[in-house]
């Protein structure tokens, strides 16, 4: 006697990273994920670099009492001041642009955009929330963004390669 069988046979996925026969689902297409990955990579390097500048500026300010200035007039001699470090208290430069404050502001806003890039990649990849926390820490712990970016980039590429059919939604 012939056993009845379903018309469509279920396919088992033995690809690495497929996770115990479960099909991996993404929140977007491969092009969207790659775009988010590129945006994240650029922001990770920019934010990491600005964080290192911020750390150097904070060391100069609190360890040596110096600000980084551009232009202005030397408060002691009255001569024009070009570019360099000057005393924080009392002010060593009058007028001019305080680049130390500019580094603080630029890093702050860049970190906000970095968090948006983190959220975009995290939501498209449908990762657990702990991964979002790790991504966010990359912008506040010196050097961490460079290491996390390399690891995340490799992980995204591996997941896309292991699940070629998963991101095709349209």
């Amino acid at each position: 006697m012939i056993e009845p069988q379903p018309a469509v046979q279920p396919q088992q996925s033995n690809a690495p990273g497929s996770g115990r026969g479960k099909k991996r689902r993404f929140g977007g297409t491969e092009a969207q994920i790659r775009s988010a990955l590129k945006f994240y990579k650029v922001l990770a390097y920019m934010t990491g670099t600005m964080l290192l500048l911020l750390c150097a500026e904070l060391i100069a300010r609190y360890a040596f009492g110096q600000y980084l200035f551009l232009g202005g007039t030397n408060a002691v001699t009255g001569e024009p001041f070009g570019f360099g470090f000057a005393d924080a208290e009392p002010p060593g430069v009058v007028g001019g642009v305080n680049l130390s404050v500019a580094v603080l502001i630029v890093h702050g806003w860049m970190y906000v955009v970095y968090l948006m890039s983190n959220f975009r990649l995290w939501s498209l990849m449908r990762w657990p929330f702990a991964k979002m926390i790790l991504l966010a820490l990359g912008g506040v712990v010196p050097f961490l963004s460079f290491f996390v970016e390399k690891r995340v980039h490799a992980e995204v590429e591996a997941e896309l390669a292991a699940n070629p059919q998963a991101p095709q939604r349209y």
Side-chain angles (χ1 to χ4, degrees):
M1 182 168 226
I2 299 176
E3 297 276 334
Q5 293 184 0
V8 178
Q9 297 290 329
Q11 295 179 351
Q12 293 294 331
S13 175
N14 294 331
S18 61
R20 297 175 292 283
K22 245 173 106 174
K23 184 177 178 186
R24 176 70 163 92
R25 303 276 301 165
F26 296 110
T29 64
E30 184 175 355
Q32 290 170 328
I33 293 170
R34 290 197 185 279
S35 172
L37 182 62
K38 185 181 285 188
F39 185 56
Y40 165 74
K41 183 176 186 169
V42 168
L43 263 298
Y45 281 109
M46 289 174 60
T47 304
T49 302
M50 287 304 295
L51 180 60
L52 293 177
L53 282 174
L54 176 64
C55 290
E57 186 274 323
L58 290 175
I59 290 169
R61 178 187 299 182
Y62 293 114
F64 304 109
Q66 301 283 304
Y67 283 126
L68 185 61
F69 276 95
L70 175 65
T73 306
N74 189 325
V76 177
T77 63
E79 296 178 4
F81 187 85
F83 173 76
F85 288 99
D87 290 333
E89 294 295 329
V93 174
V94 178
V97 177
N98 186 343
L99 293 179
S100 296
V101 173
V103 167
L104 292 169
I105 293 169
V106 169
H107 175 269
W109 282 106
M110 193 172 291
Y111 182 67
V112 170
V113 178
Y114 173 73
L115 285 177
M116 287 190 282
S117 74
N118 291 345
F119 180 77
R120 181 174 177 219
L121 183 62
W122 172 77
S123 63
L124 288 174
M125 292 302 294
R126 294 187 177 174
W127 282 327
F129 187 70
K131 179 85 74 165
M132 178 64 182
I133 299 299
L134 178 66
L135 292 172
L137 284 175
V140 293
V141 177
F143 295 106
L144 186 61
S145 68
F146 303 114
F147 296 112
V148 170
E149 185 281 324
K150 184 167 180 66
R151 184 174 157 211
V152 164
H153 190 273
E155 187 174 336
V156 169
E157 290 293 339
E159 284 191 42
L160 286 175
N163 302 287
Q165 298 300 320
Q168 296 178 0
R169 296 185 341 165
Y170 306 111

